[in-house]
């Protein structure tokens, strides 16, 4: 039995009298590769925001490594990394500075300062940007000046550079061409440290709309109107499941 | 007959009605004995005194003015940034501090901001005596608060989403804060920095008129001794300084990509902070306590200021602000509209420049040569000076506006004035009024300056109470001042919101 890394217990989230998440229970075990399906507006982004602690649920409890999320310290919380649907990069900073922001948690204040002054080391940032097939001519370009797909990959690089073993990704393949999708998907699935696979396999949860990409996942969760409709092994996914949520 | 419709255009002209009571009082107060003096003042403008001696004085005095302006700018912009950060939303979100503190700090800064630097200057001079650093401190107090507002407003533009994403990375809080505020802060420095430097220099001129030193003091002294030719030497040299610095500031572009330059800026930043702190400590420990002792012995437990008098002063201050604002709003479009030929435009621009250039106390003093002190005279002064400022904005906007409507209307045979009004100005009216609303915030604060000199309103009372060391009265006057300014700001805020 794999141990549980993330757990939602009876989570409800209300926003201005709209019930956006409705009594969600979910266990995510270490090493699981989960695809989150659901039509637009079903609550995928909200679910991810609850999982990473950005949204405080109106009801219920979020547990990370079996401890209540609120009681964890910063270092513990930083073990989750997120690729946001709306990217959430800092528009006025350069691409490499944005990627370096992923390293802020592991470094001190001085690093942040040097990053903003453009005098920190960008070696690691460049490595991850290269992995994401970002050309070195855009390293020092402001985010505002990048194309949609370039921004998408900067956001992915910022998340990957955190080298966390829990990755939440919200429609990360937006704006990417088919070849890039394969590259990025493999990067996301890959464990952080290849020698260390046994100790801490990578857990990922990806919200997506493309059913043709499901093959690489071993679990599928279907969500509709803020409720989880199914949570099954990918092999067991039938047409009837999809009809329920779409 | 068309009915008078209340739209933005007519609203821009309507306030000129303040001229009726104003003119009435002014005409009643004319004394012809001083006209000769006034004439002399005007003629001297074309015949300023120029010799070696005065040039050396000018350079020395300008130097002082610039130094006071520069240091107060440096300190006030850096501390303004600091207070801007700690009074911004983002700071409270990152550090999870209850909103109560945020409101308290903002309220405190609003109060400080509401009192004009001249008032701070007069008070500090009374306590510490005349001193170079008093000028810097007097400017810094309200300017730190003003700048902090500018910074805080820029920080409000930070996208909440990027805050959430940085927050989710779970970096140390100071790293998150710095990363988020970096660009808004840098941009504020870039966009407002030089403008604020110009403001500081102007303020240091004004404070000079009240004895702090620099060119202002020379201007004041030459006026007092009726040395008009000397006066104009100072005024023109001030004009040259302002024009030159304007040209220079246009050329300056900050390049944040340059690493050495960034490091230099940061060094200046920290040195200023260190220096200010050590100076502050030095200042605190070197207070001339003799003054304070005399203060305490003279401290009146009960004030002579009756409640009725006090309300009268408040009312006077409010009327003064309203009248001046009326002039500042309506005079520019009226004058530009009536005289809109090319050559008259040139003269209006020169006149507006002079109104901006000559500090309000000097305008008031010249008008006082042939008119007895009155509320209307103070209002006229303040109104004219600010009309110089609003007309600059109006000119800039009109010049950059699309003129097709205007040309089309003229070609239809509509008179030039009507085409100007309906084809050009009507499209500007709304934003012009919004700017005037902002300007009237400043006018309210500036009533203190003309009040002190023109013997009206709270400004005058402040001077009286200060010279008799009636600190209780001073406090009451200050509270009244800031209440008027704060209420005015609230009302103007509402007006601005409805206009934008
Ligand atoms: N900030 C917000 N304020 C108000 N309502 C919101 C907010 N964010 C999301 N919602 C609502 O919550 C519901 C779920 O939104 P969510 O973004 O989680 O959907 P989603 O499944 O991610 O959709 P998509 O596939 O389009 O990204 C929607 O009905 C949406 O309108
Ligand atoms: Mg979504």
């Amino acid at each position: 039995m794999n141990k549980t890394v993330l757990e939602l217990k009876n989570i409800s989230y209300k926003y201005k009298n709209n019930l956006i998440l409705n009594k969600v229970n979910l266990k995510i075990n270490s090493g699981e590769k989960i695809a989150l399906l659901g039509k637009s507006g079903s609550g995928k982004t909200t679910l991810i925001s609850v999982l990473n602690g950005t949204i405080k649920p109106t009801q219920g409890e979020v547990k990370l490594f079996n401890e209540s999320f609120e009681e964890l310290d910063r270092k513990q919380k930083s073990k989750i990394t997120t690729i946001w649907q709306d990217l959430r990069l800092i528009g006025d900073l350069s691409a490499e500075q944005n990627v370096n922001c992923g390293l802020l948690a592991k470094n001190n204040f001085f690093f942040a300062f040097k990053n903003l002054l453009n005098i920190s080391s960008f070696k690691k940032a460049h490595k991850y940007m290269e992995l994401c097939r970002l050309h070195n001519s855009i390293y020092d370009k402001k985010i505002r000046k990048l194309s949609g797909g370039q921004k998408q990959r900067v956001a992915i690089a910022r998340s990957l550079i955190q080298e966390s073993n829990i990755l939440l990704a919200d429609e990360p393949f937006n704006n990417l061409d088919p070849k890039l999708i394969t590259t990025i998907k493999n990067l996301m699935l890959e464990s952080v440290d290849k020698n260390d696979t046994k100790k801490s396999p990578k857990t990922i949860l990806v919200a997506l709309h493309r059913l043709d990409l499901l093959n690489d996942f071993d679990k599928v969760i279907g969500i509709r109107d803020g409720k989880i409709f199914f949570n099954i092994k990918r092999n067991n996914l039938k047409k009837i499941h999809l009809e329920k949520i779409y | 007959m068309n009915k008078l419709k209340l739209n933005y255009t007519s609203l821009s002209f309507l306030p000129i009605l303040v001229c009726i009571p104003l003119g009435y009082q002014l005409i009643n107060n004319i004394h012809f004995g001083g006209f000769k003096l006034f004439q002399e003042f005007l003629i001297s403008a074309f015949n300023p005194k120029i010799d070696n001696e005065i040039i050396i004085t000018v350079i020395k005095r300008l130097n002082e003015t610039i130094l006071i302006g520069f240091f107060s700018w440096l300190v006030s912009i850096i501390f303004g940034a600091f207070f801007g950060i700690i009074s911004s939303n983002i700071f409270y979100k990152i550090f999870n501090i209850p909103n109560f503190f945020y409101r308290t700090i903002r309220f405190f800064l609003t109060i400080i901001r509401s009192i004009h630097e001249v008032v701070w200057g007069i008070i500090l001079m009374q306590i510490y005596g005349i001193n170079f650093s008093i000028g810097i401190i007097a400017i810094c107090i309200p300017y730190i608060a003003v700048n902090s507002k500018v910074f805080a407003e820029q920080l409000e533009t930070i996208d909440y989403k990027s805050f959430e994403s940085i927050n989710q990375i779970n970096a140390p809080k100071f790293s998150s804060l710095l990363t988020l505020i970096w660009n808004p802060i840098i941009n504020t420095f870039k966009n407002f920095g030089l403008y604020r430097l110009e403001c500081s220099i102007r303020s240091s001129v004004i404070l000079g008129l009240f004895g702090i030193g620099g060119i202002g003091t020379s201007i004041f002294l030459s006026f007092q001794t009726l040395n008009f030719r000397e006066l104009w030497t100072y005024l023109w040299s001030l004009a040259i300084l302002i024009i030159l610095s304007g040209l220079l500031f246009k050329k300056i572009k900050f390049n944040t990509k340059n690493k050495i330059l960034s490091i230099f800026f940061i060094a200046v930043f920290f040195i200023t902070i260190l220096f200010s702190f050590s100076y502050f400590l030095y200042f605190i420990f070197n207070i001339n306590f003799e003054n304070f002792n005399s203060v305490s012995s003279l401290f009146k437990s009960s004030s002579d200021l009756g409640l009725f008098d006090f309300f009268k002063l408040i009312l006077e201050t409010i009327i003064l602000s309203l009248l001046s604002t009326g002039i500042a709003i309506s005079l520019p479009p009226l004058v530009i509209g009536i005289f809109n030929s090319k050559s008259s435009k040139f003269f209006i621009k020169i006149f507006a420049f002079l109104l901006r250039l000559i500090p309000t106390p000097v305008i008031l003093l010249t008008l006082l040569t042939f008119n007895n002190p009155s509320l209307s005279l103070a209002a006229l002064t303040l109104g004219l000076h600010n009309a110089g400022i609003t007309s600059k904005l109006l000119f800039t906007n009109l010049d950059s506006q699309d003129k097709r409507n205007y040309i089309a209307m003229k070609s239809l045979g509509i008179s030039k004035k009507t085409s100007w009004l309906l084809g050009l100005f009507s499209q500007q009216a709304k934003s012009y009024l919004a700017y005037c609303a902002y300007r009237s915030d400043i006018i309210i604060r500036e009533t203190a300056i003309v009040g002190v000199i023109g013997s009206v309103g709270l400004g005058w009372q402040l001077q009286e109470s200060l010279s008799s060391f009636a600190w209780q009265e001073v406090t009451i006057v200050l509270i009244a001042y800031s209440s008027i300014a704060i209420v005015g700001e609230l009302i103007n805020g509402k007006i601005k919101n409805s206009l934008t």
Side-chain angles (χ1 to χ4, degrees):
Chain A
M1 239 317 267
N2 266 331
K3 67 171 186 197
T4 305
V5 283
L6 257 171
E7 190 176 2
L8 297 184
K9 278 188 168 170
N10 207 19
I11 294 285
S12 293
Y13 177 66
K14 231 181 185 170
Y15 185 86
K16 285 188 182 155
N17 279 330
N18 290 329
L19 201 55
I20 293 169
L21 289 181
N22 188 359
K23 298 198 181 118
V24 172
N25 284 294
L26 179 64
K27 267 189 184 177
I28 298 173
N29 294 328
S30 175
E32 277 180 336
K33 319 278 185 236
I34 304 172
L36 178 62
L37 301 179
K39 66 179 178 192
S40 180
S42 55
K44 299 185 295 294
T45 301
T46 313
L47 185 71
I48 287 177
S49 306
V50 169
L51 281 169
N52 68 22
T54 301
I55 287 182
K56 286 210 169 57
T58 332
Q59 207 188 75
E61 200 183 8
V62 187
K63 284 189 156 184
L64 176 64
F65 309 122
N66 269 327
E67 279 194 66
S68 179
F69 203 89
E70 259 115 79
E71 281 155 28
L72 292 169
D73 64 2
R74 185 173 66 75
K75 276 262 146 59
Q76 295 276 320
K77 284 188 202 165
S78 72
K79 291 202 171 132
I80 303 179
T81 175
T82 310
I83 300 167
W84 299 90
Q85 182 176 10
D86 49 6
L87 310 184
R88 308 196 180 184
L89 299 163
I90 300 179
D92 278 322
L93 295 182
S94 69
E96 54 191 6
Q97 282 174 321
N98 263 287
V99 175
N100 254 357
C101 281
L103 295 172
L104 289 179
K106 286 184 183 145
N107 289 283
N108 58 15
F109 173 74
F110 203 57
F111 175 82
F113 196 41
K114 284 199 301 191
N115 182 35
L116 294 165
L117 281 177
N118 260 322
I119 50 175
S120 66
S121 157
F122 288 109
K123 224 167 131 192
K124 202 165 176 187
H126 291 169
K127 181 185 133 198
Y128 276 93
M129 290 168 94
E130 213 180 301
L131 285 174
C132 294
R133 301 281 184 274
L134 282 165
H135 194 258
N136 60 17
S137 63
I138 69 132
Y139 287 175
D140 62 349
K141 268 202 180 157
K142 292 243 161 98
I143 290 296
R144 292 191 196 293
K145 294 185 179 157
L146 301 186
S147 76
Q150 288 168 334
K151 279 186 220 169
Q152 185 76 40
R153 279 174 286 157
V154 172
I156 293 168
R158 179 180 70 177
S159 161
L160 293 178
I161 203 174
Q162 292 173 46
E163 301 182 331
S164 320
N165 270 318
I166 307 171
L167 169 65
L168 308 175
D170 198 352
E171 301 183 27
F173 308 121
N174 286 344
N175 299 315
L176 300 181
D177 63 50
K179 209 172 146 195
L180 277 172
I181 290 181
T182 319
T183 317
I184 298 289
K185 196 177 63 190
N186 292 336
L187 274 173
M188 284 177 13
L189 291 165
E190 224 170 68
S191 274
V192 171
D193 189 348
K194 280 186 189 134
N195 311 323
D196 208 23
T197 333
K198 271 185 193 146
K199 269 188 200 156
S200 50
K202 192 162 178 177
T203 315
I204 78 169
L205 181 138
V206 183
L208 71 167
H209 286 306
R210 303 235 338 231
L211 302 177
D212 56 314
L213 296 173
L214 286 181
N215 286 339
D216 296 284
F217 296 89
D218 40 46
K219 245 179 157 185
V220 185
I221 294 176
I223 181 173
R224 183 179 161 174
D225 298 331
K227 254 186 137 62
I228 290 190
F229 264 62
F230 57 83
N231 179 355
I232 50 173
K233 290 234 159 62
R234 178 182 51 82
N235 299 333
N236 299 338
L237 185 72
K238 304 263 158 51
K239 214 174 168 194
I240 177 168
H241 288 117
L242 297 174
E243 275 163 4
K244 261 194 213 162
I245 55 163
Y246 284 116
Chain B
M1 246 318 264
N2 276 338
K3 269 195 214 157
L4 180 70
K5 261 201 258 166
L6 269 189
N7 53 18
Y8 296 122
T9 313
S10 55
L11 275 177
S12 319
F13 289 99
L14 216 53
I16 202 66
L17 292 179
V18 300
C19 283
I20 297 170
L22 204 101
Y24 179 77
Q25 198 182 26
L26 288 177
I27 289 169
N28 274 331
N29 273 323
I30 285 185
H31 59 87
F32 291 94
F35 262 124
K36 213 173 159 302
L37 220 57
F38 184 63
Q39 207 180 350
E40 207 183 308
F41 169 78
L42 290 184
I43 292 169
S44 310
F46 303 99
N47 184 23
K49 188 176 170 191
I50 298 171
D51 59 36
N52 282 346
E53 196 188 346
I54 199 160
I55 287 175
I56 291 172
T57 320
V58 163
I59 292 173
K60 234 169 95 182
R61 296 286 172 259
L62 275 182
N63 226 347
E64 283 171 20
T65 297
I66 294 172
L67 276 181
I68 294 179
F70 179 77
F71 281 115
S72 49
W73 169 74
L74 194 62
V75 174
S76 68
I77 202 150
I78 288 173
F79 282 86
F82 174 75
F83 281 104
I85 293 166
I86 66 166
S87 64
S88 69
N89 259 322
I90 202 83
F91 182 78
Y92 289 83
K93 275 186 207 143
I94 288 182
F95 288 93
N96 261 326
I97 303 170
N99 264 353
F100 165 74
F101 289 97
Y102 162 81
R103 297 223 182 85
T104 317
I105 290 189
R106 284 216 159 177
F107 182 66
F108 182 67
L109 289 171
T110 311
I111 290 178
I112 291 182
R113 205 173 62 225
S114 68
I115 295 170
H116 198 270
E117 54 270 21
V118 163
V119 175
W120 290 112
I122 300 174
I123 294 173
L124 288 170
M125 267 196 286
Q126 191 71 5
I127 300 175
Y128 299 104
I130 292 177
N131 176 338
F132 188 79
S133 52
I134 293 290
I136 297 177
I137 296 171
I139 296 175
C140 279
I141 295 171
Y143 270 46
I144 287 175
V146 171
N147 292 342
S148 76
K149 192 182 174 211
V150 176
F151 278 104
E153 270 167 10
Q154 290 298 306
L155 291 175
E156 298 308 316
T157 62
I158 293 173
D159 185 9
Y160 189 68
K161 297 264 169 83
S162 47
F163 158 71
E164 282 185 342
S165 76
I166 291 289
N167 204 31
Q168 205 280 309
I169 290 170
N170 284 297
K173 296 201 173 202
F174 276 107
S175 304
S176 311
L177 180 70
L178 190 74
T179 305
L180 284 170
I181 66 172
W182 185 261
N183 276 301
I185 293 282
I186 300 271
N187 290 340
T188 319
F189 270 114
K190 276 190 198 165
N191 299 335
F192 293 93
L194 291 175
Y195 165 69
R196 294 308 298 173
L197 177 58
E198 208 183 304
C199 293
S200 299
I201 291 175
R202 279 179 196 273
S203 290
S204 91
V205 174
I206 304 254
L207 274 168
L209 292 165
F210 290 84
I212 290 285
I215 196 95
T217 305
S218 307
I219 290 174
F220 186 75
L221 289 178
S222 56
F223 198 99
Q224 253 191 345
T225 52
L226 302 179
N227 245 325
F228 291 133
R229 290 186 55 209
E230 215 177 284
L231 174 70
W232 276 103
T233 314
Y234 297 130
L235 286 177
W236 287 130
S237 52
L238 193 61
I240 293 168
L241 173 74
I242 286 172
I243 293 171
L244 280 185
S245 56
L247 290 177
L248 186 74
F249 289 170
K250 264 186 204 157
K251 284 266 178 301
I252 296 181
K253 287 226 166 58
F254 291 108
N255 183 1
T256 34
K257 283 237 167 100
N258 188 330
K259 283 171 197 171
I260 296 172
L261 214 60
S262 326
I263 291 169
F264 172 72
F265 282 140
I266 285 161
V268 171
F269 181 88
F270 283 109
I271 289 169
T272 310
I273 291 181
L274 275 178
F275 186 77
S276 318
F277 266 123
S278 50
Y279 184 77
F280 183 68
L281 291 178
Y282 171 82
F283 192 75
I284 293 287
F285 289 119
N286 283 285
I287 286 175
N288 192 347
F289 282 104
E290 266 168 36
N291 272 343
F292 260 127
N293 290 337
S294 62
V295 169
S296 54
S297 66
L298 280 162
F299 200 103
K300 292 179 186 170
S301 55
S302 68
S303 162
D304 287 345
L305 192 63
L307 198 63
F308 177 75
D309 294 327
F310 184 59
F311 280 123
K312 200 180 130 229
L313 293 173
I314 291 186
L315 196 66
E316 265 183 23
T317 307
I318 294 173
I319 294 175
L320 178 57
S321 322
L322 288 177
L323 293 179
S324 328
T325 311
I327 296 175
I329 294 175
S330 298
L331 197 62
L334 203 65
V335 173
I336 299 171
I338 293 176
F339 308 100
N340 68 348
S341 71
K342 275 239 163 66
S343 55
S344 50
K345 224 164 118 181
F346 175 75
F347 283 111
I348 297 172
K349 275 188 181 172
I350 298 242
F351 188 60
F353 174 75
L354 284 176
L355 286 178
R356 283 198 301 277
L357 166 76
I358 306 178
T360 37
V362 177
I363 300 181
L364 184 56
L365 287 172
T366 48
L367 293 176
L368 276 171
T369 54
F370 61 94
N371 213 300
N372 293 324
S374 67
L375 193 141
S376 299
L377 197 67
L380 182 69
T381 308
L382 199 52
L384 283 177
H385 178 70
N386 281 287
I389 294 165
T390 48
S391 63
K392 184 186 179 191
L393 178 98
L394 190 56
F395 268 124
T396 324
N397 287 352
L398 286 173
D399 287 347
S400 64
Q401 196 189 320
D402 182 11
K403 300 209 171 39
R404 271 175 298 183
N405 275 344
Y406 172 61
I407 293 165
M409 288 177 94
K410 266 205 307 192
S411 66
L412 283 174
I414 299 172
S415 82
K416 203 175 170 190
K417 290 188 177 63
T418 314
S419 326
W420 180 85
L421 187 68
L422 300 177
L424 272 183
F425 181 71
S426 65
Q427 281 151 56
Q428 286 299 329
K430 197 174 171 185
S431 64
Y432 176 68
L433 282 176
Y435 176 75
C436 288
Y438 157 77
R439 197 67 219 166
S440 72
D441 279 349
I442 300 173
I443 292 178
I444 296 175
R445 274 165 224 157
E446 286 183 344
T447 55
I449 314 177
V450 289
V452 170
I453 292 182
S455 335
V456 273
L458 291 163
W460 171 77
Q461 181 60 44
L462 182 77
Q463 182 83 311
E464 288 285 294
S465 310
L466 269 173
S467 51
S468 57
F469 295 98
W471 290 102
Q472 212 166 42
E473 280 177 17
V474 173
T475 317
I476 294 173
V477 170
L478 288 183
I479 292 173
Y481 247 128
S482 59
S483 325
I484 296 175
I486 291 170
V487 171
E489 210 177 288
L490 285 176
I491 296 173
N492 282 329
K494 288 267 182 307
I495 296 176
K496 263 180 280 178
N497 279 344
S498 68
L499 286 174
T500 44

